Amino acid sequence: MPGPGALAPGSPPASPCRWKLHIIRQLQQRDRRQKALFLDLVEAYHRLLEKSDLLAHFTEKLPPESPSEPSREEEEAGPMPDPTQSPEDLKRKWEEELAKIKLICGEMAYQVVEKHMTLSSQDAMLEDQQGRLSSLDARVCELEETRQWLAEQVAGQQDRIMEGKEAYDTLWAHTGHQEGALRQLEEEGRELVERLIQVKVQAAEAQNYRNERIERVKQARVSKELKKAVRRTVNISETLDPPSIAEPPANKQELLVVEAYEKQWKRPFRSASATSMTLARCMDVMKGLLDFRKRRGHSVSGAPEARYPSIRVCGVSCLPARAQDIQEAHCSEVNAVCFSSNSSLLATGGADRLIRLWNVIGGRLEADQMLEGAGGSVTSLEFEPSGCYLLAATYNKAAQLWKVGESQSKETLSGHTDKVTAAKFKLTRQQAVTGSRDRTVKEWDLNKVSCSRTLDGLSYCNDVVCGDHLIISGHNDQKIRFWDSRVPRCIQVIPVEGKVTSLSISNDQMHLLSCSRDDALKVIDLRVNNIRQVFRIFMFQQMGMLLRD
């Protein structure tokens, strides 16, 4: 492609402008006129000098003559002198005239010199103007070549613009068709989802009905066998035999339930008392476990312990059969839910990087607000005790703080090198604690938005809870670690039988509930940092059914 200063191939050379030639001709004519006038002036000056010299010569030699007719030369020379004057007077007069003529000649000579200097300066100016005119001609030719090149470029750009416009129009039409097809597919997908939901609802109702029938049959049989076993005495060293079921199970599903029940009975039963007691007493103890009223006398493992007051918990008498309210909250998995302190507001977080707030009114959920800006999948949520702030842990290696009522994040706590799995307030809004897959637990000062301390957890942290000066973390290495904010190291470790997945601390900060992958819930007394109770999932379901009777 030629540059801006190059001639385009095949373009004719630019012709000089006519006005420039006209200016040159006018300047040349003016030069010729001034030169002719100067030559005429020099010639007249020379004639005048010759006439003055001749006049002076003849005046000295010529005698006085009588008056006569003036000749043609005399008329041309001027008036003749008076013959009555003496030669001295005439000589003096002619000398005066000669001095005047010389003075005039000197002035004219000075004027001739000035004119010559002016003519020289005009010649220099003319040469300068001609040089500038030549440079302007060259510049004009260059600009003309540039203009032609730019015109070619503009033409090429216009062609490309037209091609791009045609391609854009084609893509726009194709996009319109694709959007129409997408809308149709979305409508079909919604219809399929609605039909699938209807089918699932019908299947769930049928399954619930079957489960209720199976539970009623199983409950009747277990109650009957327990009534028979009440009359028997059981020793602590013995292993209870599973109760025999007189009637065979009606179907395969009931057979599976009975087999699971028999497996539960085959496990060694350990009472809190070292003395033997009846099965009825065992049932009383099992019922007492639900509200944590465990009496311990002279236990096998240690010295007698004082009886602790019961913990206020919600005992479940039966498993819920159906949901009270169902809402389509997120486009993907829901990873975290949390109630505010007064249970009037519910927060949900999912893998779609959204946090939604719901008002709880009459046992139903009403959408309140959507919080955007989470950089990754939301894994944990917690309200501040006043309910004005919400803390969320996300997979983008940070935790974020929102103020309820504002759609944008207020603060971002960055510092972890892997996904943040838990984020909790430390009793007040001024401090927070986070746990991460990078095997660390961090304390944060929310006023300065900075990390105040980093604790090495030695394992993947799944959840954290906080007390006054206590931080408790659950890890993948099947350990619960206790940290004191005033001590720079771990103060105690409690091992469990599975990976710790969730932790919850009571309002009086005296008991800790842990959930692990060994299908068990453990109650830990924080006053002695020891496991007080273990609930197996199957046993909990069986006791719930017994209490429902």
Side-chain angles (χ1 to χ4, degrees), residues 513-524:
L513 182 65
S514 70
C515 178
S516 55
R517 292 287 179 86
D518 57 352
D519 298 334
L521 299 175
K522 298 176 180 64
V523 179
I524 300 174

Side-chain angles (χ1 to χ4, degrees), residues 314-326:
C314 179
V316 179
S317 61
C318 63
L319 295 176
R322 62 184 63 186
Q324 190 173 0
D325 189 17
I326 299 176

Side-chain angles (χ1 to χ4, degrees), residues 294-500:
K294 182 177 180 183
R295 297 178 177 86
R296 301 190 66 180
H298 298 282
S299 63
V300 177
S301 60
E305 298 180 8
R307 179 178 175 178
Y308 295 112
S310 62
I311 306 170
R312 296 180 180 178
V313 297
C314 179
V316 179
S317 61
C318 63
L319 295 176
R322 62 184 63 186
Q324 190 173 0
D325 189 17
I326 299 176
Q327 296 288 341
E328 292 292 337
H330 297 270
C331 300
S332 186
E333 297 89 355
V334 179
N335 295 332
V337 293
C338 180
F339 278 103
S340 62
S341 57
N342 57 2
S343 300
S344 63
L345 193 63
L346 175 68
T348 61
D352 56 357
R353 303 184 179 184
L354 295 178
I355 298 174
R356 301 195 65 177
L357 300 181
W358 307 81
N359 291 319
V360 183
I361 301 175
R364 300 189 65 84
L365 299 178
E366 293 184 1
D368 179 29
Q369 187 182 1
M370 181 180 295
L371 306 180
E372 300 179 354
S377 177
V378 180
T379 58
S380 173
L381 293 172
E382 186 182 53
F383 279 99
E384 188 251 347
S386 65
C388 298
Y389 292 88
L390 179 66
L391 185 64
T394 60
Y395 269 10
N396 68 333
K397 306 177 184 180
Q400 292 178 280
L401 179 67
W402 275 271
K403 186 176 182 180
V404 176
E406 298 180 0
S407 60
Q408 295 298 325
S409 174
K410 185 177 180 63
E411 303 291 352
T412 300
L413 308 179
S414 302
H416 285 288
T417 58
D418 206 340
K419 300 175 182 178
V420 179
T421 55
K424 301 294 177 64
F425 284 104
K426 196 176 178 182
L427 297 183
T428 61
R429 197 190 68 82
Q430 281 72 31
Q431 291 179 319
V433 177
T434 58
S436 171
R437 283 187 177 180
D438 60 2
R439 303 184 179 185
T440 62
V441 177
K442 290 182 180 289
E443 295 185 59
W444 301 87
D445 186 347
L446 298 182
N447 291 329
K448 300 179 181 179
V449 195
S450 62
C451 178
S452 58
R453 190 169 70 146
T454 299
L455 307 173
D456 187 4
L458 303 176
S459 177
Y460 179 127
C461 179
N462 287 317
D463 199 4
V464 294
V465 292
C466 303
D468 291 332
H469 299 288
L470 189 65
I471 300 173
I472 307 171
S473 58
H475 299 267
N476 256 21
D477 60 354
Q478 304 180 6
K479 293 180 181 178
I480 300 175
R481 289 178 169 85
F482 293 77
W483 314 82
D484 193 330
S485 299
R486 299 162 294 185
V487 179
R489 63 182 181 276
C490 180
I491 59 176
Q492 187 172 357
V493 177
I494 296 180
V496 294
E497 298 177 1
K499 297 178 181 179
V500 182

Side-chain angles (χ1 to χ4, degrees), residues 174-244:
H174 182 66
T175 303
H177 294 309
Q178 293 292 331
E179 287 180 352
L182 179 60
R183 285 192 295 270
Q184 184 177 0
L185 290 175
E186 288 178 351
E187 292 175 358
E188 293 176 356
R190 282 194 294 268
E191 293 177 358
L192 289 175
V193 170
E194 291 176 358
R195 288 201 296 270
L196 179 60
I197 291 173
Q198 292 176 0
V199 171
K200 286 188 175 182
V201 168
Q202 294 174 0
E205 291 177 353
Q207 185 65 33
N208 290 335
Y209 178 72
R210 289 193 297 270
N211 291 340
E212 290 176 359
R213 290 186 60 188
I214 293 171
E215 287 178 2
R216 284 196 296 269
V217 172
K218 180 178 61 177
Q219 178 184 352
R221 292 179 179 175
V222 172
S223 299
K224 183 178 178 180
E225 295 299 329
L226 288 176
K227 288 178 182 178
K228 292 180 181 179
V230 166
R231 301 179 182 86
R232 292 189 301 170
T233 302
V234 181
N235 196 306
I236 189 62
S237 61
E238 296 179 356
T239 302
L240 292 179
D241 295 328
S244 60

Side-chain angles (χ1 to χ4, degrees), residues 23-39:
I23 290 175
I24 293 173
R25 293 193 190 98
Q26 292 294 329
L27 291 174
Q28 290 176 351
Q29 290 177 5
R30 187 187 67 179
D31 186 20
R32 285 193 294 270
R33 286 196 300 270
Q34 290 180 355
K35 188 175 182 180
L37 291 174
F38 178 73
L39 294 176

